[in-house]
Amino acid sequence: MAAPTTSPSSDPSSTPQTFRILVLPGDHVGPEVMVEALRVLDVVQTSSVGKIKFVYNHQIAGGCSINRHGTPITDEVLRIAKEESDAVLFGSVGGPEWGTTYPNPESGLLRLRQHLDAFANIRPCTFYSRSLIPLSPLKPAIAEGTNFILLRENCGGASFGQKVEEADFASDSWAYRRDEVERCARVAAALAPTMGKDGLGTGQCPEGPATVWSSDKANVLASGRLWQRVTSQAFAQEFPHIELRHQLADSLSMLMVKNPRMFNGVIHTDNTFGDMLSDQAGGVVGTLGVFPSASLCGIPDGVNRCNGIYEPVHGSAPDIARKGMVNPTAQILSAAMMLRYSFGLAPEATTIEAAVQKVLDGKDIGGLEIRSADLGGCATTKQLGDAICMVLSRILKGEQQEHQCNP
Ligand SMILES: NC(=O)C1=CN([C@@H]2O[C@H](COP(=O)(O)OP(=O)(O)OC[C@H]3O[C@@H](n4cnc5c(N)ncnc54)[C@H](O)[C@@H]3O)[C@@H](O)[C@H]2O)C=CC1
Ligand SMILES: CC(C)CC(=O)C(=O)O
Ligand SMILES: [Mg+2]
């Protein structure tokens, strides 16, 4: 895939930079949150006055694809994802009507991750606004300041190992190769300097890169022993300047609740532990509704861009679907991650995050409190999306006027 290499923010030419996005909304709340993320991207495109163009290819995956094509993802959609897209914006899939019998909707997402080799699943856990801190079930003094990236290996381990499924016996092979652990360790090392020891994620780290916590079950699993050994070797040989610490996955889950700030930095862990620990991290924040993710096909070195899948950490939330009450923030923040990691549009990504923060803070929206039910309010999905679009548009217009006055 030919990845775009320059940022339109610094590109004086009038030809728009074009980014091809495969849109897969999925099932239940997936399409509801996707609508709002696409509206946010439209604001970015419109405000760029011809510098940025998003070209969307709308396809389906998940239960809706089973209903229409008899498979959770078609070969054609996989081909488009790899050959004709710069990134995939994904909603969420699954639901009780399809059950868990293979091939279920979720297996379509797993196929997509594997097909693109989107091995590095970046799940940032932070409070996007101080106003969210009281929503955490933890005491404010414990929750406040939590800011870590849960980096989950996304294409190996138990989800993808050999499976045996019989009437009275079943097994999943929880297997890892050295190169799979190594490349994930390299992503952790690339992310640590963007966090900083203070965990602020400012990209300016006077005190040096944040700690990387490697988590496994080396005390019981052979794959865990490989994980721990290969990670230690990779950091000793390639990243001796980054502090690496190990914490068994069971005790890490306890400590994440007791003292989440302890992990400010990067948690580097395998597919299954990463899946579980990231939902638990959502519990620390108080809702999955503000928890985005990026699954990258390469190492985010700030120079080279790679394809990726951008989706919320949450699932299809059938319990709240079609009620207009799902929080679209995680999908919107996932779109921001797409701009940062696959398109090189870090300033635009930061502006979306700033707009989200302002809305959650109740700023620039006439003192109104626009919050969905999971945030303790009664705003609809559309009202929250409207507010984020409005504030975003205002910030981007302000930046443009400033640029015109001080070119
Ligand atoms: N990436 C994906 O497509 C994923 C799909 N799933 C699938 O989703 C289906 C439902 O799974 P669950 O275990 O119920 O997990 P879930 O994440 O869909 O929901 C868990 C709880 O969080 C709430 N919630 C989730 N997202 C929310 C949002 N944006 N705003 C407000 N509240 C939100 C739900 O209402 C529910 O009470 C299952 O079929 C599962 O396999 C689960 C996780 C990831
Ligand atoms: C395939 C998904 C259902 C796995 C999952 O829960 C996740 O990615 O968080
Ligand atoms: Mg999960």
Side-chain angles (χ1 to χ4, degrees):
M1 186 200 77
T5 49
T6 54
S7 167
S9 312
S10 57
D11 181 5
S13 85
S14 55
T15 321
Q17 275 227 46
T18 302
F19 303 98
R20 302 163 303 169
I21 305 172
L22 171 60
V23 180
L24 299 172
D27 307 314
H28 290 289
V29 299
E32 299 176 47
V33 292
M34 185 64 80
V35 167
E36 304 308 322
L38 294 178
R39 290 173 63 214
V40 164
L41 291 176
D42 282 349
V43 172
V44 172
Q45 177 174 279
T46 308
S47 307
S48 80
V49 274
K51 288 192 183 139
I52 299 171
K53 186 165 168 51
F54 299 124
V55 178
Y56 303 106
N57 189 337
H58 296 266
Q59 299 289 336
I60 58 170
C64 50
S65 176
I66 293 180
N67 293 352
R68 191 179 302 171
H69 302 296
T71 173
I73 193 157
T74 62
D75 290 345
E76 176 61 2
V77 170
L78 292 173
R79 189 193 65 74
I80 293 169
K82 198 179 214 161
E83 296 174 14
E84 295 180 5
S85 311
D86 298 314
V88 180
L89 193 58
F90 198 96
S92 44
V93 293
E97 59 274 57
W98 297 286
T100 49
T101 306
Y102 187 84
N104 58 344
E106 292 84 344
S107 67
L109 174 55
L110 296 183
R111 263 193 87 193
L112 177 66
R113 288 173 180 169
Q114 196 168 44
H115 187 73
L116 290 181
D117 201 20
F119 68 94
N121 185 198
I122 301 173
R123 300 183 155 191
C125 175
T126 189
F127 290 96
Y128 286 89
S129 153
R130 289 187 62 79
S131 69
L132 296 187
I133 293 168
L135 298 173
S136 169
L138 304 182
K139 290 177 192 141
I142 290 176
E144 190 173 9
T146 297
N147 190 357
F148 58 80
I149 286 177
L150 195 308
L151 174 65
R152 163 191 181 191
E153 197 292 323
N154 215 27
C155 287
S159 300
F160 293 97
Q162 202 185 0
K163 293 178 189 303
V164 176
E165 205 156 359
E166 295 166 4
D168 300 314
F169 175 82
S171 69
D172 304 271
S173 160
W174 195 318
Y176 270 106
R177 293 189 316 263
R178 169 177 281 276
D179 60 303
E180 292 174 314
V181 182
E182 273 173 354
R183 64 182 182 173
C184 197
R186 290 188 184 117
V187 174
L191 293 171
T194 70
M195 298 299 285
K197 279 200 199 321
D198 61 358
L200 286 177
T202 57
Q204 294 157 0
C205 313
E207 297 167 70
T211 303
V212 172
W213 292 84
S214 179
S215 190
D216 52 57
K217 283 285 291 176
N219 52 349
V220 285
L221 298 178
S223 62
R225 286 188 277 280
L226 180 87
W227 186 273
Q228 193 171 100
R229 181 162 39 85
V230 171
T231 299
S232 293
Q233 286 168 355
F235 275 80
Q237 285 162 18
E238 299 177 40
F239 315 108
H241 57 291
I242 297 178
E243 184 183 7
L244 173 71
R245 301 186 67 173
H246 298 276
Q247 190 69 45
L248 293 170
D250 48 355
S251 55
L252 190 145
S253 72
M254 179 276 293
L255 291 166
M256 186 189 286
V257 173
K258 211 173 162 202
N259 180 14
R261 275 197 305 275
M262 170 181 172
F263 298 108
N264 279 1
V266 181
I267 299 173
H268 149 78
T269 191
D270 92 345
N271 203 336
T272 302
F273 296 134
D275 189 12
M276 301 188 66
L277 290 171
S278 55
D279 269 39
Q280 183 169 327
V284 168
V285 175
T287 174
L288 287 173
V290 294
F291 205 167
S293 92
S295 297
L296 304 188
C297 311
I299 296 172
D301 58 8
V303 181
N304 297 299
R305 315 251 155 71
C306 58
N307 201 341
I309 306 169
Y310 297 87
E311 53 174 320
V313 170
H314 66 72
S316 64
D319 53 333
I320 56 167
R322 289 168 291 277
K323 294 180 180 163
M325 63 186 283
V326 62
N327 184 347
T329 307
Q331 186 79 60
I332 290 169
L333 291 169
S334 302
M337 293 181 84
M338 175 177 75
L339 302 192
R340 176 173 292 119
Y341 290 117
S342 282
F343 300 168
L345 300 176
E348 288 77 2
T350 305
T351 310
I352 294 174
E353 287 154 2
V356 166
Q357 183 184 353
K358 277 190 182 238
V359 170
L360 295 175
D361 284 346
K363 285 194 186 141
D364 283 7
I365 47 174
L368 294 173
E369 205 180 77
I370 301 182
R371 287 165 172 267
S372 44
D374 61 316
L375 301 175
C378 56
T380 63
T381 307
K382 182 168 183 310
Q383 284 168 339
L384 191 44
D386 281 346
I388 293 169
C389 285
M390 190 186 73
V391 173
L392 176 64
S393 170
R394 219 177 270 162
I395 302 177
L396 289 170
K397 273 190 192 128
E399 280 175 4
Q400 221 174 56
Q401 277 164 5
E402 206 172 293
H403 186 69
Q404 277 161 3
C405 296
N406 309 299

